[in-house]
Amino acid sequence: MGDGIFVSFEGGDGAGKSTQVRALADWLAAQGRTVLLTFEPGDSALGKVLRDAVLHGEDVDPRTEALLYATDRAHHVASVVRPALARGEVVITDRYLDSSVAYQGVGRGLGADTIEQLSLWATGGLLPDLTVLLDLDPEAALARITREPDRLERGGDEFHAITRQAFLDRAAGDPQRFLVLDARLPAEDLAAAVATRVGQLLER
Ligand code: TYD
């Protein structure tokens, strides 16, 4: 592996991940770093097919759903993420394995440990250097979603509450990797906090 840095953004729908991903990419570019922006599920040709199957298909049972996300992640890491890290780039992904642990492991009740192991197997054990969790009260999150909700977003309040807690529990279990931010803060404040933490990684 080269000197690349791997950053993931996590959080419920509507937490402002895409805004923060872009802000960090701009900040890094201004530092002269080469950045690769990516996302899960679906940032490859095969990924698009898998994304469509998992988000818009009907009657996807929980184990199938978990395997589809894991398949997408395996392919994404092998074909997009690892090559960029090997080139020394900063890879920023909108969602990664913590989403699977929260949604499939806890939300769908398949077990956090099982789903974590599945993703670690799929990726050959690749964990981010930093995971930014944009934590947002589920009601505020729903209010922010203006487009038509996808199949997971239609899961309801209880699903949102338990998956939010799952992300928070995961962050509490690995404070070295996670930066937890209150997503209701102004976007500039969030971006500054993320840049400070990434700056520390760049100096390492
Ligand atoms: P998408 O519209 O790509 O992104 P976002 O909601 O982040 O704006 O939707 C991705 C959906 O897939 C989202 O509802 C969360 C879900 N998801 C999982 O359930 N497990 C996973 O491993 C990943 C990566 C996403």
Side-chain angles (χ1 to χ4, degrees):
M1 190 70 50
D3 297 318
I5 294 174
F6 186 27
V7 180
S8 63
F9 280 77
E10 299 281 5
D13 300 302
K17 287 191 303 299
S18 42
T19 303
Q20 290 306 319
V21 163
R22 276 196 305 274
L24 177 60
D26 290 347
W27 183 80
L28 283 162
Q31 315 291 305
R33 297 292 302 224
T34 303
V35 179
L36 181 93
L37 279 187
T38 186
F39 60 89
E40 291 187 2
D43 197 14
S44 64
L46 173 59
K48 282 190 186 69
V49 177
L50 296 166
R51 177 186 172 91
D52 207 44
V54 75
L55 286 180
H56 306 292
E58 296 300 323
D59 291 334
V60 182
D61 86 282
R63 283 168 194 263
T64 309
E65 181 180 290
L67 288 166
L68 285 169
Y69 282 113
T71 305
D72 174 66
R73 183 159 304 122
H75 183 64
H76 185 222
V77 164
S79 65
V80 177
V81 178
R82 281 194 192 270
L85 292 174
R87 294 191 299 266
E89 298 177 6
V90 181
V91 177
I92 306 173
T93 184
D94 185 338
R95 295 194 182 280
Y96 191 59
L97 97 179
D98 300 296
S99 280
S100 281
V101 175
Y103 294 113
Q104 283 67 55
V106 179
R108 300 287 191 225
L110 293 173
D113 289 345
T114 303
I115 295 302
E116 177 174 35
Q117 289 309 315
L118 177 66
S119 265
L120 287 173
W121 182 83
T123 62
L126 184 69
L127 280 173
D129 298 294
L130 170 67
T131 297
V132 179
L133 174 58
L134 295 171
D135 176 52
L136 186 61
D137 170 81
E139 287 201 4
L142 274 184
R144 284 186 183 191
I145 295 172
T146 49
R147 60 187 159 68
E148 187 68 15
D150 65 40
R151 198 170 55 76
L152 274 112
E153 288 162 0
R154 292 193 293 266
D157 291 350
E158 200 194 338
F159 188 82
H160 288 277
I162 61 170
T163 52
R164 178 200 187 195
Q165 192 56 50
F167 278 120
L168 289 172
D169 290 346
R170 238 171 123 65
D174 194 353
Q176 287 268 80
R177 173 161 72 91
F178 276 88
L179 172 64
V180 183
L181 298 171
D182 183 340
R184 289 169 306 184
L185 289 171
E188 313 81 72
D189 297 3
L190 294 170
V194 173
T196 300
R197 186 73 173 254
V198 174
Q200 292 164 1
L201 283 176
L202 294 177
E203 282 165 20
R204 220 177 39 183

